[in-house]
Amino acid sequence: MAVTIPLGPDLRINTPAVVRWVEGRMLGLEFTPPLQDRLLADLSRWVFLKREEERDRLAGSGASPLQPRMEGRGGDLALVTSEESLQARLEDLLQGIAPLRRLPPTVAALKEALCAPPALVLFHVSSLGLDERKRLRILAETLAGRMPFLLLGTGLEAAPLLELATELKAVSGYVLGERPGPFFPRLIQGILRRQEAP
């Protein structure tokens, strides 16, 4: 059947789908053909924002998703990249959320950083070739589950990056476009909040 799902003023799904289950007022759909990368990325953002709104509602805090993160846990963000320009760009985007330090993409640098563990590690991904995947796997294994990490892509498609993020057990994967909107800071803020929760 053809479905139209209006999720917001800028997000509407118009596509063929197969109904897989129905329960009360809920139903499960399989989109055929699969949703395009751009729509899939927008849908992921929408789901994340709805979850954050629900968390705020349940907590009764009414806090803005962009408020500075709570004191007490310590730690900063570690950006693992060889591109200095990316650090300056992210510092502008994440101003007021957490300090950002840059690490070279080596196991030695990552092990040294574990002496003063960051709250979140951002692995920069600029390619999804076999060598890059192998390198990322080694870097992720160096963390040994001691801290969360995110795959931050540039110049990539969203779907394969999200697949790799799931494979490596990253907390998320995000493609940083030329003009990122407010979603990226909200994503980082949400991850940090979850780490701070008791």
Side-chain angles (χ1 to χ4, degrees):
M1 62 185 289
V3 297
T4 298
I5 308 172
L7 298 173
D10 300 320
L11 180 57
R12 176 184 296 265
I13 298 174
N14 285 314
T15 185
V18 176
V19 177
R20 290 297 182 195
W21 56 267
V22 178
E23 184 177 319
R25 297 179 61 194
M26 297 184 296
L27 58 87
L29 297 173
E30 177 186 351
F31 297 110
T32 54
L35 299 178
Q36 295 177 346
D37 285 343
R38 178 63 189 270
L39 182 55
L40 196 57
D42 289 345
L43 184 58
S44 295
R45 290 187 188 99
W46 182 85
V47 169
F48 177 82
L49 291 174
K50 289 298 175 188
R51 285 181 179 160
E52 285 299 295
E53 286 172 12
E54 183 67 8
R55 278 176 59 98
D56 284 346
R57 187 185 68 75
L58 292 175
S61 65
S64 163
L66 289 175
Q67 74 184 54
R69 73 188 187 102
M70 295 179 291
E71 296 298 325
R73 186 180 188 279
D76 54 5
L77 304 176
L79 172 65
V80 180
T81 183
S82 55
E83 294 183 19
E84 289 182 31
S85 59
L86 185 58
Q87 180 180 7
R89 191 174 173 206
L90 290 184
E91 282 173 343
D92 286 343
L93 284 171
L94 301 174
Q95 203 167 31
I97 292 176
L100 182 72
R101 61 176 147 147
R102 185 172 68 86
L103 304 174
T106 65
V107 169
L110 207 51
K111 283 183 175 176
E112 188 177 327
L114 295 179
C115 297
L120 176 66
V121 177
L122 310 175
F123 286 120
H124 177 215
V125 186
S126 57
S127 125
L128 289 171
L130 289 177
D131 288 344
E132 178 71 358
R133 285 172 178 264
K134 184 178 177 182
R135 185 183 67 83
L136 283 167
R137 186 179 307 282
I138 291 168
L139 291 174
E141 287 171 357
T142 302
L143 298 181
R146 283 177 278 181
M147 67 200 64
F149 66 93
L150 173 144
L151 300 188
L152 181 65
T154 54
L156 303 173
E157 294 292 326
L161 183 71
L162 291 171
E163 267 179 41
L164 181 60
T166 301
E167 184 183 321
L168 297 181
K169 297 182 171 58
V171 291
S172 188
Y174 182 83
V175 175
L176 193 69
E178 288 299 315
R179 296 182 180 177
F183 177 74
F184 181 64
R186 288 182 181 141
L187 173 65
I188 298 300
Q189 182 71 51
I191 293 168
L192 294 176
R193 278 186 188 167
R194 286 198 292 275
Q195 301 309 311
E196 289 162 347

